Amino acid sequence: MRQRACRRHGERCAARRLVPFAAIRYIFGVYESGENYLEAILILQERNGSARSADVARKLDVSRPSVSRAMSILKQEGYIDIAESGAISFTPKGTETAGKIYNRHRQLTDFIAAITGVPLEQAEENACRIEHVIDEDVFAGILRYMADSGRR
């Protein structure tokens, strides 16, 4: 399997591996690899104003056929639309889901950085590994802790 790039900074994240689209835990109504694609699209749109399959492939360091297959699944599931120009846009369902995924990523990054004092980059790499497997009640507890301690 290919090493995946950190979605936020585009750097390689050694602990992350791309796996088949349907082989990972189902969270937010989409599998982990689907979450990664949705988050990458969101980040690319925020950074560049638009996202295309080639951009997603570059960002996640995966092959274009892998992205094509993932985009097909995400479109079929009602998360994205793809214009004839190749531009990827979110449906309302996709906008909501991608926002939740990215919010979780940012919250975990902030938590890890605040609690451990490690550099933000290291906190982000660890958040990338945790965000797809953490239980909802544990994540809710982290948010409560951050709010109660005045850290967020």
Side-chain angles (χ1 to χ4, degrees):
M1 287 188 215
R2 299 180 74 183
Q3 198 172 27
R4 183 189 336 222
C6 178
R7 293 179 307 260
R8 188 177 221 179
H9 299 107
E11 301 149 358
R12 288 188 176 271
C13 185
R16 303 283 290 171
R17 304 275 184 232
L18 192 66
V19 296
F21 191 83
I24 295 296
R25 187 172 172 207
Y26 194 73
I27 304 173
F28 293 128
V30 66
Y31 291 97
E32 177 186 345
S33 56
E35 289 183 4
N36 291 333
Y37 285 106
L38 290 171
E39 190 173 4
I41 293 165
L42 178 65
I43 291 168
L44 287 165
Q45 287 178 344
E46 287 179 356
R47 185 179 298 156
N48 305 333
S50 66
R52 301 169 55 89
S53 291
D55 303 325
V56 175
R58 222 174 355 267
K59 178 154 189 54
L60 295 177
D61 193 23
V62 296
S63 70
R64 287 185 184 191
S66 293
V67 173
S68 178
R69 173 75 176 130
M71 295 304 107
S72 175
I73 292 169
L74 291 172
K75 183 176 180 179
Q76 181 181 4
E77 295 293 321
Y79 291 99
I80 63 168
D81 288 317
I82 303 173
E84 284 191 29
S85 67
I88 302 166
S89 60
F90 287 118
T91 63
K93 176 182 176 181
T95 299
E96 179 183 352
T97 304
K100 286 179 182 177
I101 293 164
Y102 190 53
N103 181 56
R104 171 178 255 179
H105 175 89
R106 288 191 341 243
Q107 295 285 346
L108 285 170
T109 298
D110 292 346
F111 172 73
I112 293 167
I115 296 304
T116 64
V118 298
L120 190 58
E121 183 177 312
Q122 184 178 358
E124 175 133 35
E125 289 174 2
N126 281 272
C128 283
R129 292 190 299 268
I130 295 169
E131 68 184 307
H132 305 289
V133 296
I134 191 170
D135 293 330
E136 270 304 310
D137 56 340
V138 174
F139 182 66
I142 289 171
L143 294 179
R144 276 192 308 277
Y145 173 82
M146 295 292 280
D148 291 349
S149 66
R151 296 181 190 259
R152 203 34 126 122

